[in-house]
Amino acid sequence: MGILTTFKDWFGNDWGVHPDDRKRPAADAAVRVMPVPERLWLPLQQHLGAPARPVVLVGQRVKKGQLLAEAQGAVSAPVHAPTSGTVAAIAEITAPHPSGLTLPAIVVDADGADEWGERVGCADPFALAPDEIGRRVAAAGVVGLGGAAFPSSVKLAGAARAGVATLIVNGSECEPYLSCDDRLMRDAAAAIVDGIRIMRHASGAARVLVGIEDNKPEALAAMAAAAASCAEIRVCRVPARYPMGSEKQLIQALSGIEVPADSRPADVGVIVHNVGTALAVRAAIRDGQPLISRLLTVNGGCVVAPGNIEVRLGTLAADVLAFAGGLHGDGLGLARRLLGGPMMGMQIPHWRVPVVKGTSGILALAADEAAAGDADPCIRCASCVRACPVGLLPLEMSARIRNDALDAAAALGLADCIACGCCAYVCPSRIPLVQYFQHAKGELAARERARLRTDATRKLAAQRQERLAREASEKAAAAARRKAERAAQQSAAEKLVQGEPA
Amino acid sequence: MIAAVLSLTLLGALLGVVLGCADRFLRVEGNPLVDEIGALMPGSNCGQCGFPGCAGAAAAIVAGSAAPTCCPPGGKALAAAVAGRLGLAVDLSALADDGPQIAGVAEELCIGCCRCSKVCPTDAIVGAAKQIHNVLREACTGCANCVDLCPTEALLLQPVPPTLPHWVMPKPLGA
């Protein structure tokens, strides 16, 4: 291990991997807007945090942009109707999640009119108080569109509270195949810059750094031109390297600050938002439009016409693929279905999965694109150590997890793993390292839940004992009281009897 | 008056010091292992092991008079944890474990006799006489105390359905 850490010191700056990005030709094709499908499935949980609670009834008519489910809890986001129509049901649909489990969704049948409900925009967002912007962003259901889907208003409010100095806007889009952020920056640079200025106003940050990878020269040029008039916004070129788009890595590349383990970017005075989020924030504040659609990339060797498509939330991936021209040979050569990028995306069991707020791409990979094959034993080449952007020892952690020594893996820093997949990508033995880490994280979380449950059980059992004791003592007291009353009555009666002869 | 107050205060203080010293120097050491095993047990004191509560079972397991597999609600996971802590080898294959289970009431069968709610160690069953009873999922430990008592067989243990936030990625096979 000592040798490994020395090794890490030598090659410390060489984190990450350089996968073939395969973004073109999809990135160069013009954006297509998909018409509203007949039926939309809107999961109640499209974000990190607590699921939303439905506020509509089955059979109710809804307008475009109307609230369908409200946020509950501090970290949550509401869900809005992407089009006008009727609520057909509140039913289970396969979740965009590798488990293949279902989650509840509001089903909306479109009426074709696509008629907007009430919208309250604002001509001058900079006259609004930062809290008011946060409230409007929260009400519009805006979440991080880079993939993690963390409610944006929570981040903005946290930034204002912590007094962050720097707002970093993430336009690096480091995942191969995906190009929706690239396309947004090329097509709507001015609107993005406007959104960035609104977010800067809401977060109270002094300066803004926009990080864009150097494999997107068109986006860099467009954003630099749009931001030229704003002195506080600096557009920065960052080297194309995976995972440059990861929050902590981008912060380090742009500002030189390393976010310590166990702390958040706001703790070091930085917040990071995605370029798509900036656009959604602008729509929410300027036009009063909730988040009801998003741009996503449809790509992969099996897709007939890859490109970027603007899709209403709740559209099934199957419908999006059909709109994109379908799959070659009706999907005969399909090896892997993914939502998101190939490195961190989620494998899904079938295409009847709805597009949610965090869906950045739909990938249909052919056999020659999907890594396959059985894993061989680890040869301790330490390629994974060099690739790990967080500076962990993937080979050591996976060896421990294989033997179910999860605590030992946690001691090696498992909690800091960002599941970027660099280690598995470079592994010459094709060991599914990330899957080991995901498994271990899930298992440790389950243990923690079990521990909390045991504590709760103990408390309940103790409360029951207390209740039984209290009931017993109350019963005894009542019995004693009755006995005393009876005795008093008896003695009174005796007195009466004794008194009679006199 | 003052003499009485003073003498009693003095007596109290003296006896307190004596008690404090006795607690420190004459303490009977409990087995820390028993406490440790006890902390692993479910803690509902359901009594299915045949010992007086979880602490009793923990003492018996440490003393060797009970097997680590004696706790039905704890299941395989608990048996493995206890055996690992004590360095024992146990045959887990003999232990039937269908994963976590909780009780559920078949509403069409329940007659509201209240027998089940009286034995629930965590007060997880709610309902009044001649009313349909129900089980609070968060509180039920799946101890099955209630199941045999139900005169209409309305209570059954059901596996806890897997949910999205509780799903755990399976461990990779082979390699």
Side-chain angles (χ1 to χ4, degrees):
Chain A
M1 216 137 103
I3 295 169
L4 283 176
T5 33
T6 322
F7 197 75
K8 191 78 205 169
D9 287 343
W10 291 347
F11 297 96
N13 287 324
D14 199 23
W15 57 264
V17 293
H18 298 271
D20 179 8
D21 71 11
R22 304 193 189 178
K23 288 175 188 284
R24 291 162 208 269
D28 294 327
V31 169
R32 286 171 281 174
V33 179
M34 183 174 164
V36 183
E38 284 175 11
R39 179 166 272 196
L40 295 161
W41 301 76
L42 294 135
L44 295 174
Q45 177 132 40
Q46 307 190 22
H47 49 264
L48 273 182
R53 192 178 58 204
V55 293
V56 287
L57 298 173
V58 173
Q60 186 177 334
R61 286 200 43 79
V62 292
K63 292 219 169 118
K64 185 176 174 181
Q66 186 177 332
L67 185 70
L68 294 181
E70 63 184 8
Q72 50 177 355
V75 180
S76 184
V79 177
H80 299 83
T83 186
S84 57
T86 318
V87 177
I90 297 176
E92 298 275 325
I93 179 97
T94 305
H97 190 265
S99 65
L101 292 170
T102 61
L103 87 179
I106 297 179
V107 187
V108 175
D109 279 342
D111 60 7
D114 208 23
E115 179 191 355
W116 271 103
E118 193 190 353
R119 281 179 290 172
V120 182
C122 174
D124 183 16
F126 303 102
L128 293 175
D131 315 357
E132 178 59 22
I133 294 186
R135 259 195 301 281
R136 291 191 187 196
V137 168
V142 178
V143 301
L145 295 181
F150 187 80
S152 301
S153 59
V154 178
K155 238 193 218 180
L156 287 174
R161 252 200 322 277
V164 302
T166 312
L167 164 65
I168 287 182
V169 178
N170 189 349
S172 49
E173 198 168 51
C174 56
E175 278 261 12
Y177 290 97
L178 301 186
S179 55
C180 54
D181 289 352
D182 181 11
R183 207 59 243 182
L184 281 180
M185 289 188 285
R186 290 196 213 181
D187 297 340
I192 291 175
V193 168
D194 188 30
I196 291 173
R197 290 180 61 215
I198 296 172
M199 288 204 293
R200 173 174 167 267
H201 175 58
S203 64
R207 62 167 183 165
V208 182
L209 300 174
V210 183
I212 302 172
E213 280 191 347
D214 55 12
N215 60 355
K216 294 181 260 299
E218 299 92 342
L220 260 166
M223 286 298 287
S229 59
C230 309
E232 71 277 8
I233 302 179
R234 205 151 62 85
V235 178
C236 308
R237 174 195 297 266
V238 290
R241 180 196 285 187
Y242 179 87
M244 187 57 86
S246 162
E247 198 167 62
K248 295 186 175 180
Q249 275 59 47
L250 186 67
I251 292 172
Q252 195 165 9
L254 282 176
S255 67
I257 304 170
E258 182 169 354
V259 183
D262 302 330
S263 58
R264 284 191 288 259
D267 299 337
V268 296
V270 182
I271 51 163
V272 182
H273 280 285
N274 180 266
V275 286
T277 315
L279 209 56
V281 166
R282 179 186 182 272
I285 300 297
R286 286 237 186 242
D287 310 324
Q289 285 183 15
L291 183 61
I292 53 167
S293 67
R294 69 159 296 150
L295 192 67
L296 56 79
T297 307
V298 178
N299 210 341
C302 293
V303 179
V304 172
N308 286 289
I309 303 178
E310 195 181 325
V311 174
R312 298 291 166 94
L313 297 180
T315 309
L316 294 184
D319 295 342
V320 181
L321 280 174
F323 174 74
L327 300 178
H328 287 299
D330 277 339
L332 208 60
L334 184 68
R336 189 168 290 176
R337 302 177 187 86
L338 287 173
L339 289 185
M343 301 290 282
M344 287 188 74
M346 284 170 295
Q347 194 161 355
I348 49 171
H350 51 77
W351 291 122
R352 282 189 59 78
V353 174
V355 168
V356 294
K357 292 173 181 177
T359 310
S360 48
I362 299 174
L363 303 185
L365 301 186
D368 59 331
E369 297 172 298
D374 292 338
D376 291 331
C378 174
I379 55 170
R380 301 185 66 78
C381 65
S383 301
C384 52
V385 179
R386 208 181 324 169
C388 180
V390 194
L392 300 176
L393 302 170
L395 78 166
E396 296 289 337
M397 293 200 306
S398 69
R400 280 159 181 73
I401 296 166
R402 245 184 88 187
N403 291 319
D404 293 320
L406 301 186
D407 293 325
L412 285 173
L414 178 67
D416 292 316
C417 167
I418 56 171
C420 63
C422 288
C423 48
Y425 178 80
V426 295
C427 182
S429 295
R430 299 178 300 274
I431 298 173
L433 290 153
V434 202
Q435 202 183 331
Y436 275 113
F437 304 149
Q438 302 274 43
H439 162 72
K441 281 183 191 172
E443 200 62 50
L444 286 172
R447 273 191 203 173
E448 179 61 19
R449 277 198 301 275
R451 199 184 58 73
L452 289 176
R453 202 184 149 90
T454 307
D455 289 350
T457 304
R458 244 174 256 281
K459 210 187 260 174
L460 282 170
Q463 280 168 349
R464 176 182 154 88
Q465 291 305 328
E466 216 171 87
R467 176 176 69 80
L468 291 178
R470 195 182 60 235
E471 280 175 2
S473 71
E474 278 170 6
K475 225 180 203 170
R481 203 174 52 240
R482 273 200 305 277
K483 201 174 169 188
E485 277 172 14
R486 253 201 318 275
Q489 274 173 6
Q490 212 165 4
S491 68
E494 275 169 18
K495 260 186 199 154
L496 215 62
V497 172
Q498 278 170 6
E500 244 174 45
Chain B
M1 166 75 182
I2 294 176
V5 169
L6 267 181
S7 60
L8 275 175
T9 312
L10 211 68
L11 195 67
L14 255 173
L15 288 175
V17 170
V18 169
L19 274 176
C21 290
D23 181 47
R24 176 155 302 184
F25 298 110
L26 305 175
R27 160 169 290 196
V28 180
E29 287 286 332
N31 189 349
L33 203 55
V34 173
D35 295 340
E36 213 175 303
I37 301 296
L40 294 172
M41 312 288 288
S44 63
N45 299 326
C46 70
Q48 285 185 80
C49 52
F51 294 97
C54 292
I61 290 173
V62 172
S65 55
T69 51
C70 70
C71 175
K76 257 183 199 169
L78 176 70
V82 169
R85 181 64 195 82
L86 296 177
L88 299 172
V90 284
D91 184 16
L92 293 178
S93 58
L95 199 62
D97 188 354
D98 312 321
Q101 289 192 319
I102 56 168
V105 175
E107 293 183 359
E108 67 278 15
L109 294 178
C110 178
I111 52 169
C113 68
C114 287
R115 284 184 209 183
C116 53
S117 57
K118 285 190 188 123
V119 297
C120 180
T122 53
D123 280 342
I125 304 178
V126 290
K130 296 190 178 168
Q131 306 289 326
I132 294 174
H133 284 49
N134 219 323
V135 179
L136 301 175
R137 302 170 65 99
E138 290 77 25
C140 177
T141 58
C143 72
N145 272 2
C146 51
V147 171
D148 292 339
L149 283 173
C150 183
T152 59
E153 294 186 354
L155 270 157
L156 281 177
L157 280 190
Q158 295 154 349
V160 180
T163 57
L164 216 48
H166 292 176
W167 181 79
V168 175
M169 164 113 30
K171 190 176 164 185
L173 300 168

